[in-house]
Amino acid sequence: MAAAFDVSPGSGLTEAVARQRLATHGPNELERQRAPSLWHMVWEAATEPFILLLLAAGALAVLLGETRDGLLVIIGLVPIVGADVVTEFRAERALEALRSASAPLARVRRDGEARDITAASLVPGDVVLLRPGDVVPADLRLLECEALLVDRSALTGESLPEPGRVAPDPPDAPLADRRSVAYAGTAVVGGTALGVAFATGTETELGRIAGALGGRQRRRSPVQRELDRLVRILLVAAVSLIAITVGAGFLRGNPAGANLIAGISAAIAAIPEEPPILLAVILGLGAYRLLRRGVLVRRLNAQETLGAVDLILTDKTGTLTENRLALVRALTPDGPIEGRDLTALLVEALRAEEDAWRTLAGTRPGSFTRALMAALEERDAAPTLAIAELVEADAPTDARPYSRTRAGEVELALGAPEAVLDLCDTLFGGDAEAWHATIAEEARAGGRTLLLARRRRGGSWEPRALLVFADRLRPEIADAMAMARGAGIQAILVTGDHASTAAAIATEAGIDASSVVTGGDLAAWSDDRLARELPGLRVVARAVPEQKLRLVEAARDAGRTVAVTGDGVNDAPALHRADVAVAMGSGTQVAREAADLVLGDDSFGTLMEGLREGRRMVENIRKGLVFLVSTHVALLGFILVATLAGYSQPLLPIQILWLELFIDVSTSVAFEREAEEPGAMRRPPRPRGAPLLPATLLARIGLAGGFTALAALAVIELAGAEADHARWLAYTTLVVGQVVRAYANRSLSLSVLRLGRNTFLAAACLLVIAIQAAIPYLPPLADAFRATPLAIGEWGIVFAIAVAPALVADVIRRAGRTWVA
């Protein structure tokens, strides 16, 4: 490699050559893509179809004299557009975070001496020196290594630091198996090394990932698409209302101007301004609920997308496991070691770990030392280390992959089982075969194994025990996986770990690991085969970033709603392409900035609780929409039929304003407090193409709203009273009918009596009825609303009309059908 770049490892490049190469290759930094301007983000958010339609309706209302109503519509759009702009702005920071993952400084040899330079000025051919704590500044071919350990989890997903080596890797070795290369953005956690930079900037693996982030696309969420669909339906309804109202006016001989104003007013009333408010409140309060459960929501619409997720691509380390090594067991060929013998053995193992002795000087313990200390603490045993006892201690090296210590007359070795076993010259025949068999069996099980050996000074080495370590499964994962299966959600474990490790963890977690697919298998599959195999995939091992991304795109092409978990730089492209991107709170800034949700405790169990909350929110949004649409159907139906029946002004503007804004908003927002329905997590996810309000449900909404509209008209016809009193009676019928409908539609498939209490909604309903009853007795309001007190018999008629649809719906729901009250 040094010859290929015409450089001497001993002296490095000259400054002149370095300047020339910098001019040719450019700075060692990721390409800076121009972020959208703030005004561009505002324009995109403000030109959403629903926003445009409501903006036009509000402006038209102002022009026609309905100033209060129109201004309320327009003002209500400001926080909605603002929220979209803020979340989009934060998402754009992901690329900047990715650039910051590169090291700011690099130590190189130039002109025969070692010096620190800015990482951006590093060029291909530079000789780079690596020390513990360094972030690798470029892709390096290693030329010298001394016990080098590199944490590559952010790039490959490997859960443990990996050793480096000088020997070249096979040409077809996957990225996760390349030990002779130190990749940009990874971290040196132990040892030293010297390498030659062969790729810088956008040519590094990190740079390729950054390039994959550039053209990301976000599909509109299910509720956004539903609101778009609702806009189209209401636009058709608005045009139809204009034609009908204007046509009826001309037939009655009314002036053309009055007919046009009446038609446009009816069309404006057809556009419900409340859905964005409902959506913002439910998602906003839902985000607060999730935050209390340890889930930070970075993009509000991701919450309702959660309710439709039917595929989760999850990583292993930290998400399914605790992300820390723990002692699983200690054994010999004769069986496990337990009780006091195990405690004594753990003390010996800790004394054999050179790293443990260094902690006495204040050095942070390594992963194996921490695991041994934790195991001793669990057994209420204190480690017995005194620096005065230590005679000598040698750390593991490439040539000797085990730690070796001597305290007093006892010498201990702990490390790679085969290497430690080679020390033991007292093993022959069956004993040696038994140890080799035990080591091989534990290796197949996927754990990390260390062999402990001991000898007295001058004596022979004897193997003491095989220590098995693993990143333990989180205790809540089995239940979370069972919840996913019951909810019809496919979970695929995608990890950079070896197949045996992935299979062992998957089996323990409750994932079918009978057929583990590797990254190499995926690379050989065509897109068609991947599409066929995707529904049956459960475990993908030795995966590289491109393959995780390919799985996401294959799932999206198949119409699946996919969530992806990730914590490293390598996960960022897949996170960007996913419908719901879920980052770990302990992960890299790159992953967190690319994510829609951030899990504070990293756990898959917390993600499933988020999915449960997402389903609840989507169902409550649907209930709110059912109520709001039925309100508008009742209101517009009444205005239309009353107009056709000859009533020139069936409702006053202030009455419409009270019904639409206060009643609708107060009661629909109360749906946010609605608890999860029984069995919600035992139903399959809603298909991506399935609307929240399908045609059959819209028909039932129309039937329910139409009944109230006709009943209110019948009240006017039968009242036989003064016009204002008859109108107030009909209006009260509409108001009380909608209030009862709000409570009766807390579930569309279950009897209300089977549900728990929603005190907030009940209080809102009672408050609205109380205000409606009090208005005629408050002179200023009575005059504004032209309200008159109702007799007891009239209240009886009002409640009979309001309760009848609820009773019918309850009977139908008890028969197992969905119905709207």
Side-chain angles (χ1 to χ4, degrees):
M1 181 61 71
F5 285 95
D6 192 21
V7 62
S8 167
S11 58
L13 297 175
T14 64
E15 284 294 340
V17 171
R19 285 195 298 270
Q20 182 182 13
R21 292 187 181 182
L22 185 62
T24 302
H25 296 277
N28 177 37
E29 58 184 11
L30 305 184
E31 183 179 354
R32 294 184 176 270
Q33 300 184 11
R34 185 177 179 181
S37 68
L38 181 62
W39 289 113
H40 178 77
M41 295 180 190
V42 172
W43 175 258
E44 281 198 338
T47 52
E48 295 279 350
F50 201 88
I51 299 295
L52 287 177
L53 193 54
L54 289 177
L55 185 62
L60 194 54
V62 172
L63 292 176
L64 293 173
E66 300 291 338
T67 306
R68 287 178 300 180
D69 200 357
L71 289 178
L72 283 172
V73 171
I74 295 172
I75 292 171
L77 299 178
V78 174
I80 300 168
V81 172
D84 283 347
V85 171
V86 169
T87 52
E88 177 66 16
F89 176 77
R90 294 180 67 188
E92 287 300 326
R93 293 170 55 195
L95 280 174
E96 187 62 33
L98 184 56
R99 284 189 288 268
S100 70
S102 300
L105 291 175
R107 189 160 185 81
V108 301
R109 281 182 183 162
R110 285 191 180 173
D111 291 323
E113 62 181 28
R115 65 184 69 170
D116 290 327
I117 64 172
T118 60
S121 61
L122 200 70
V123 297
D126 258 322
V127 176
V128 181
L129 307 175
L130 297 178
R131 301 158 296 182
D134 285 350
V135 175
V136 181
D139 287 355
L140 311 177
R141 174 64 171 90
L142 299 176
L143 302 182
E144 298 176 10
C145 286
E146 184 61 36
L148 180 67
L149 282 176
V150 181
D151 180 1
R152 306 194 301 172
S153 59
L155 189 65
T156 68
E158 291 282 2
S159 57
L160 294 173
E162 297 289 341
R165 66 177 177 225
V166 174
D169 301 306
D172 58 348
L175 185 146
D177 289 337
R178 299 173 196 166
R179 299 287 180 265
S180 65
V181 176
Y183 289 101
T186 60
V188 178
V189 297
T192 60
L194 178 147
V196 173
F198 66 88
T200 60
T202 58
E203 300 300 318
T204 63
E205 286 293 323
L206 187 66
R208 293 196 308 108
I209 293 173
L213 300 184
R216 88 184 192 283
Q217 296 179 347
R218 289 282 191 197
R219 290 191 290 182
R220 294 180 66 77
S221 69
V223 170
Q224 285 178 316
R225 293 196 300 273
E226 182 67 12
L227 293 183
D228 292 345
R229 174 174 169 268
L230 189 59
V231 165
R232 293 192 294 269
I233 293 173
L234 292 174
L235 187 58
V236 173
V239 173
S240 301
L241 278 172
I242 292 174
I244 294 172
T245 307
V246 173
F250 277 118
L251 290 176
R252 290 197 298 268
N254 293 338
N259 290 338
L260 184 59
I261 290 175
I264 294 176
S265 298
I268 292 174
I271 302 172
E273 58 273 17
E274 307 93 340
I277 300 173
L278 170 73
L279 189 62
V281 169
I282 289 183
L283 295 183
L285 292 179
Y288 174 71
R289 288 174 183 267
L290 286 174
L291 184 60
R292 293 174 62 185
R293 296 187 180 189
V295 181
L296 172 65
V297 177
R298 299 190 64 255
R299 189 171 65 93
L300 287 182
N301 284 338
Q303 298 172 94
E304 48 96 354
T305 308
L306 274 174
V309 165
D310 62 357
L311 174 64
I312 301 175
L313 300 182
T314 178
D315 54 3
K316 174 184 71 69
T317 305
T319 308
L320 301 185
T321 66
E322 296 177 339
N323 196 20
R324 60 183 179 87
L325 273 185
L327 180 74
V328 177
R329 56 188 167 274
L331 70 159
T332 69
D334 296 327
I337 301 173
E338 298 174 341
R340 293 182 177 179
D341 291 341
L342 177 58
T343 302
L345 183 77
L346 293 178
V347 171
E348 277 194 6
L350 187 66
R351 294 171 67 85
E353 182 65 73
E354 181 268 346
D355 173 71
W357 292 95
R358 281 193 283 113
T359 62
L360 298 177
T363 305
R364 293 180 61 186
S367 53
F368 290 112
T369 297
R370 287 197 302 270
L372 291 169
M373 288 180 171
L376 285 169
E377 288 174 5
E378 289 176 4
R379 290 160 178 80
D380 296 323
T384 56
L385 297 178
I387 195 64
E389 298 179 54
L390 184 65
V391 177
E392 59 179 328
D394 297 318
T397 65
D398 291 340
R400 183 180 35 76
Y402 51 84
S403 171
R404 188 169 173 175
T405 65
R406 182 160 68 90
E409 296 297 315
V410 177
E411 195 170 359
L412 298 167
L414 179 69
E418 297 292 347
V420 173
L421 204 59
D422 287 343
L423 289 175
C424 303
D425 50 12
T426 60
L427 294 180
F428 300 98
D431 288 342
E433 292 177 3
W435 276 104
H436 283 293
T438 301
I439 292 169
E441 182 178 355
E442 291 300 328
R444 285 193 297 271
R448 292 294 298 265
T449 55
L450 299 180
L451 184 63
L452 175 67
R454 181 181 66 181
R455 73 169 178 177
R456 290 198 171 272
R457 190 175 184 184
S460 298
W461 286 98
E462 296 179 356
R464 292 277 290 136
L466 186 67
L467 304 180
V468 182
F469 299 83
D471 188 2
R472 284 178 177 169
L473 193 73
R474 289 177 178 268
E476 70 274 14
I477 294 304
D479 290 340
M481 283 296 175
M483 182 192 299
R485 289 193 300 273
I489 299 171
Q490 177 186 356
I492 302 177
L493 171 60
V494 183
T495 177
D497 282 323
H498 290 279
S500 58
T501 304
I505 287 292
T507 300
E508 190 179 356
I511 301 174
D512 180 12
S514 58
S515 178
V516 177
V517 175
T518 66
D521 297 331
L522 280 185
W525 287 359
S526 66
D527 291 343
D528 289 341
R529 181 174 179 184
L530 178 57
R532 292 194 306 271
E533 299 281 357
L534 183 64
L537 284 182
R538 293 297 181 270
V539 182
V540 179
R542 309 305 283 165
V544 296
E546 292 84 352
Q547 288 158 354
K548 193 170 187 179
L549 175 60
R550 189 182 175 206
L551 286 169
V552 174
E553 293 177 336
R556 291 181 56 169
D557 289 344
R560 308 286 294 273
T561 303
V562 57
V564 173
T565 72
D567 59 0
V569 175
N570 62 317
D571 295 311
L575 290 172
H576 270 287
R577 296 295 196 273
D579 294 289
V580 181
V582 184
M584 307 298 108
S586 64
T588 63
Q589 182 185 3
V590 176
R592 292 196 300 271
E593 291 293 340
D596 303 314
L597 307 177
V598 179
L599 304 181
D601 63 358
D602 299 357
S603 174
F604 184 88
T606 302
L607 172 59
M608 285 308 302
E609 289 301 318
L611 285 169
R612 179 193 288 272
E613 182 68 13
R615 287 195 176 188
R616 186 193 70 85
M617 282 189 286
V618 170
E619 188 60 26
N620 289 346
I621 290 171
R622 184 168 79 125
K623 294 171 186 175
L625 289 176
V626 166
F627 170 68
L628 293 175
V629 174
S630 67
T631 297
H632 282 268
V633 169
L635 177 62
L636 293 171
F638 174 69
I639 293 174
L640 179 62
V641 296
T643 301
L644 295 176
Y647 294 91
S648 59
Q649 195 174 22
L651 292 177
L652 299 175
I654 193 171
Q655 293 173 338
I656 298 174
L657 185 63
W658 162 254
L659 183 62
E660 282 200 352
L661 294 184
F662 183 81
I663 297 176
D664 282 6
V665 171
S666 63
T667 49
S668 63
V669 165
F671 280 112
E672 193 281 329
R673 303 291 293 272
E674 196 63 41
E676 176 187 295
E677 289 190 16
M681 290 303 288
R682 293 192 296 273
R683 304 171 191 162
R686 184 168 54 87
R688 174 175 290 283
L692 273 176
L693 304 180
T696 54
L697 186 56
L698 286 174
R700 291 165 184 167
I701 292 171
L703 185 62
F707 169 80
T708 304
L710 293 174
L713 180 64
V715 166
I716 285 185
E717 293 286 350
L718 298 175
E722 189 265 339
D724 281 348
H725 182 77
R727 179 166 52 198
W728 180 253
L729 177 59
Y731 176 65
T732 301
T733 301
L734 288 171
V735 170
V736 177
Q738 289 310 114
V739 167
V740 174
R741 176 170 288 117
Y743 201 83
N745 287 330
R746 291 177 57 207
S747 173
L748 301 180
S749 57
L750 299 175
S751 168
V752 176
L753 299 178
R754 290 185 55 190
L755 305 176
R757 291 181 297 176
N758 186 335
T759 306
F760 190 85
L761 178 57
C765 292
L766 292 175
L767 178 63
V768 168
I769 293 175
I771 294 174
Q772 185 71 18
I775 285 176
Y777 300 98
L778 302 173
L781 292 179
D783 182 62
F785 281 87
R786 298 184 192 176
T788 55
L790 302 183
I792 296 297
E794 290 173 326
W795 275 111
I797 293 173
V798 168
F799 280 108
I801 293 173
V803 171
L807 294 177
V808 172
D810 196 73
V811 171
I812 295 175
R813 290 168 187 166
R814 287 176 182 271
R817 296 181 60 190
T818 298
W819 200 257
V820 177

